[in-house]
Amino acid sequence: MKPDLRPPNPNPSGTNAGRRFEKVILRLVKGGPERLAIEAGEIDAIVDPESGSAILLPEAQRALIERKSRFRNLVGLASDWYWEQDENYRFVSCAGATVESSGFGDESIIGKALWELAIDNMSEADWQTHRRQLEWRTTFRDLEVRRVDRAGEVRYLSVSGEPVFDDSDQFKGYNGITRDITERRQAEAVLQEPNRFSRATLDALAPHVGVLDAAGVVLLVNKAWRVYAATHAGMGTGVIEGANYLAACDDAQGGERVDGIAIAAGIRQVIAGERMLFRYDHACDSPVGRRWFMLSATGVAGDTAARAVVSREDVTERKRGELLLALEHTVARSLADADDTTVALKAVIRAVCEAQDWDCGRYFRLHPAAGELRFEESWGVAGVAVGQFLEKSRGMVFRPGAGLAGRVFQSGQPLWVLDGTQDAGVSPTALAPETGADGAFVFPVMADDRTIGVLAFSSRTVREPDDRMLQAVRSIGSQLGRFLQRQQAADALRRSEARFRRLTELSSDWYWEQDSDFRFTRFVGCGVLGAGEVFGKTRWELPNIVLGEAEWAEHKSQLAAQWSFCDFEFAAVHPDGQLGYYCISGEPVYDEAGTFTGYCGTGLDITRRKRAEIALRESEARLRALAGLSSD
Amino acid sequence: MRHKKTDRSASGPAATTVVVMCLYIANSAPNSVRAIANLEAICKEHLKDNFKLEIIDVLEYPLRALADGIVVTPSLAKMSPSPAAKIIGNLSDKSSVLRALGIQG
């Protein structure tokens, strides 16, 4: 029921209307106390028993009008226009000074719900949420909608409303206000543009970037940081805006504890201004293997809450590459230092195991004659299980195509099994003798594009190899293959040389070698002098050689020209004063680079033959002399 | 401002007398607002929680006022305990209010 705001004139004193009003009042109020109260100015309204309505007294009416006016002014200050909706949320009224310019005035909104208007920033989900608010009869504030006005300009409107109920608490609709916030939003957009640019730039960075305040609380993180914090376990898990990164580092557990303490200390130094830059490499174990990170903390100067920018870059690929390169170098060094096949094989297998954190490795060598791979060498970490596994491997033989080793031999390609159950087409039981029921990594050992053996590693930590890993095992297989091939060739050469020497020893009295200055470096057998007497001397420096100057000159010129010489004869004075006769042959020696390194050759003691020849010549001479005498 | 039923149930012992009152006002007109404030202060000081008050806006419910015999507002009607009493005005005379409510000042 609406109040009766009679009389029409709020200031009746001194007027006819005022006097008539007083008469009405006095007619209505007959009681003494009521009249006294009216005269004392303590009464606001009188109820007219005839009309059943309340009549406000002038003072009260003025006060209420003023109050209503003030309220409207306040609402007017806070809003651009007012609206009312019915119980179906359709606009039933809309009034305000700026309603036309808002973009709502250029179409009839009466009879339409808010979501039936041309609003372009609300999704269906947004509208569902809003409708749910309305159905729950809740007051909504600052619902921001965007629309294009008649002039084609984008307008931002903030809509607030509250439910209206009648006397019997029946829902009657919504009343509310709308403010045009276009200018504010445009100003905010201008202000936020640099922030958006910064944010977009940060989010585009691959490293995880976070900004810390003086206490280590994260003020800002980029997308990469947020993703990592949400998806990885260990230090930094869940640390985003509002969390304390230093506290998370301090609380790191297990293998990350030392790294956490070091990182927290370094960042604190940066925050305190004791250093401008802190760098730290650290590793984290994850379900997909170990990952490496390079953390950098840089100080932030200026009057801002930010004190340090922490950047954490995933350098796993680079680190793995470095480790594999180091492994290749280790293998090369091991092979260079090794003087036999066994040592080399053990060293290589151990280097690979230690670099990859694998338990053990075995080498199966191809025996061409039998056409099969046979166990040759192994290395494993200390442990009963590994020891038993390697012991069972002794005597193991694979034919081409049989087992992992046979398949690798046949294909010439690496093969891996992540654990004993994941190799397609091969049962775990069948693989167990080869893998120990763990993962396995098998790759060929190649020489001259032929597979000469297979290296097989077993471990729980075998994981899917990447391209760099496959490149590394090919390199290691090739290095080892070349070494083994050289060793085989060297063994063959040694055997050949041994046979040759045995033959030489049978056909000569001694074998000798000289350096590039023709000084004896080796002397085997029985010659002119003992070995100890000739080492370090040239042939012409030996004291007991009897040879003419012309012969020496010719021999030296042959040597200087690096010619082979054959059956060079000379005499030597024996300790008993007798002459011995010797015949030597030699040929120049060159190293792999073609550089002259000296001579080697054989010698024969021809004393008996020479003496016989001398005796024969002397006999012939005597006979000739006798014949001459007789003929004479 | 529309004051409807404002119910303040007594939370004291059952033996304590609860004063039931009805205050008739005219929206937020000056004397009505003053009467509410004065009555609030008196109740708080003397009745604690032992009162039950209904505030009726005669601009909204004039017939209710007429039915209760109220002609001018603000007016305070004491319903119980007996005897019933009525005080007219903005209740600034505290002693009169206490006397009407049967409270020893």
Side-chain angles (χ1 to χ4, degrees), chain A residues 80-96:
Chain A
D80 293 316
W81 68 90
Y82 331 106
W83 51 261
E84 290 179 340
Q85 292 174 338
D86 63 12
E87 62 270 24
N88 294 315
Y89 319 117
R90 290 175 303 218
F91 287 100
V92 293
S93 72
C94 181

Side-chain angles (χ1 to χ4, degrees), chain A residues 510-513 519-538 541-544:
Chain A
W510 72 90
Y511 170 80
W512 56 269
E513 289 179 3
R519 289 179 296 240
F520 285 103
T521 56
R522 192 169 182 189
F523 199 92
V524 181
C526 182
V528 184
L529 293 168
E533 296 170 289
V534 302
F535 279 162
K537 294 176 181 171
T538 60
E541 288 173 339
L542 298 179
N544 52 350

Side-chain angles (χ1 to χ4, degrees), chain A residues 232-535:
Chain A
H232 285 73
M235 184 169 57
T237 302
V239 177
I240 54 173
E241 287 98 337
N244 192 309
Y245 186 67
L246 293 180
C249 293
D250 288 335
D251 294 341
Q253 299 295 320
E256 293 183 326
R257 180 162 173 71
V258 174
D259 290 332
I261 292 171
I263 290 169
I267 294 176
R268 285 193 172 100
Q269 286 181 326
V270 171
I271 288 174
E274 295 168 9
R275 60 196 298 180
M276 272 309 290
L277 177 64
F278 166 69
R279 285 185 189 277
Y280 190 81
D281 285 4
H282 64 108
C284 298
D285 288 322
S286 74
V288 292
R290 175 160 286 201
R291 303 200 70 79
W292 282 266
F293 295 93
M294 187 184 74
L295 181 140
S296 305
T298 313
V300 177
D303 186 17
T304 168
R307 283 290 172 269
V309 176
V310 176
S311 166
R312 194 175 49 203
E313 188 174 1
D314 189 335
V315 294
T316 303
E317 296 305 316
R318 194 191 78 198
K319 197 75 179 178
R320 280 185 184 155
E322 289 173 0
L323 290 174
L324 289 170
L325 186 62
L327 171 61
E328 289 174 29
H329 289 164
T330 303
V331 167
R333 200 165 50 247
S334 301
L335 294 176
D337 294 343
D339 50 9
D340 67 55
T341 304
T342 300
V343 172
L345 281 170
K346 273 193 180 299
V348 170
I349 295 171
R350 179 175 186 166
V352 173
C353 284
E354 289 179 344
Q356 295 298 311
D357 199 20
W358 289 344
D359 293 338
C360 63
R362 299 161 297 166
Y363 178 66
F364 295 93
R365 184 169 73 86
L366 172 67
H367 286 250
E372 60 191 20
L373 294 166
R374 295 178 185 169
F375 176 89
E376 179 149 322
E377 198 51 74
S378 68
W379 183 89
V381 296
V384 176
V386 172
Q388 288 175 345
F389 175 67
L390 293 179
E391 192 57 38
K392 285 180 184 173
S393 299
R394 296 186 184 284
M396 206 174 259
V397 172
F398 294 100
R399 300 197 67 79
L404 296 177
R407 287 161 63 182
V408 169
F409 173 75
Q410 198 169 49
S411 68
Q413 296 298 322
L415 188 64
W416 55 92
V417 180
L418 301 187
D419 61 46
T421 64
Q422 292 187 5
D423 186 61
V426 184
S427 73
T429 309
L431 282 174
E434 284 195 77
T435 65
D438 290 330
F441 197 106
V442 188
F443 59 91
V445 175
M446 311 282 288
D448 293 337
D449 294 330
R450 289 182 301 108
T451 302
I452 63 170
V454 165
L455 275 170
F457 295 89
S458 297
S459 180
R460 286 189 188 87
T461 59
V462 170
R463 61 176 175 273
E464 186 89 15
D466 55 15
D467 289 344
R468 182 65 185 85
M469 177 68 179
L470 293 174
Q471 180 190 340
V473 298
R474 283 192 198 99
S475 169
I476 292 168
S478 293
Q479 285 187 60
L480 182 59
R482 283 197 299 273
F483 173 85
L484 294 175
Q485 194 179 42
R486 278 200 306 274
Q487 285 297 106
Q488 285 176 357
D491 288 345
L493 182 61
R494 274 195 291 274
R495 286 194 297 274
S496 172
E497 282 184 346
R499 282 197 303 275
F500 173 73
R501 283 196 188 118
R502 280 198 296 276
L503 287 171
T504 303
E505 285 168 9
L506 289 174
S507 59
S508 63
D509 292 321
W510 72 90
Y511 170 80
W512 56 269
E513 289 179 3
Q514 292 175 331
D515 63 14
S516 58
D517 293 324
F518 314 115
R519 289 179 296 240
F520 285 103
T521 56
R522 192 169 182 189
F523 199 92
V524 181
C526 182
V528 184
L529 293 168
E533 296 170 289
V534 302
F535 279 162

